[in-house]
Amino acid sequence: MNTQVRSGEEGRIPFRSSRFFCVGSKWYFTTREGFDSGPFASRERAEIGLKRFLHVVKMLPEEHQVH
């Protein structure tokens, strides 16, 4: 569990888990909305996939963005 305080946070640190998980030998990432993406051949590839996903989300118009 990640227990770091993020910028702008005050008070108790909420529960957090990794966005990455492995099933068998395949890696996946999950979003805050509960969307799982994968499989990826390695955790590193899943991290790249998440970065690409977040890049695309940032390009969406504000009313369509997911957090």
Side-chain angles (χ1 to χ4, degrees):
M1 179 173 88
N2 185 347
T3 58
Q4 290 182 312
V5 176
R6 293 180 181 170
S7 176
E9 287 185 336
E10 296 180 18
R12 292 178 47 133
I13 298 170
F15 175 81
R16 294 191 181 109
S17 62
S18 175
R19 287 190 179 213
F20 304 98
F21 61 96
C22 185
V23 177
S25 62
K26 302 296 183 182
W27 283 88
Y28 300 79
F29 69 83
T30 188
T31 67
R32 293 178 187 159
E33 296 75 29
F35 171 75
D36 296 338
S37 181
F40 296 92
S42 66
R43 181 182 172 121
E44 292 77 22
R45 290 290 192 177
E47 290 173 358
I48 292 167
L50 176 60
K51 287 177 184 175
R52 289 179 176 166
F53 172 81
L54 294 173
H55 176 75
V56 170
V57 167
K58 287 180 183 178
M59 294 186 335
L60 293 173
E62 189 68 32
E63 65 272 8
H64 291 101
Q65 285 192 8
V66 294
H67 297 38

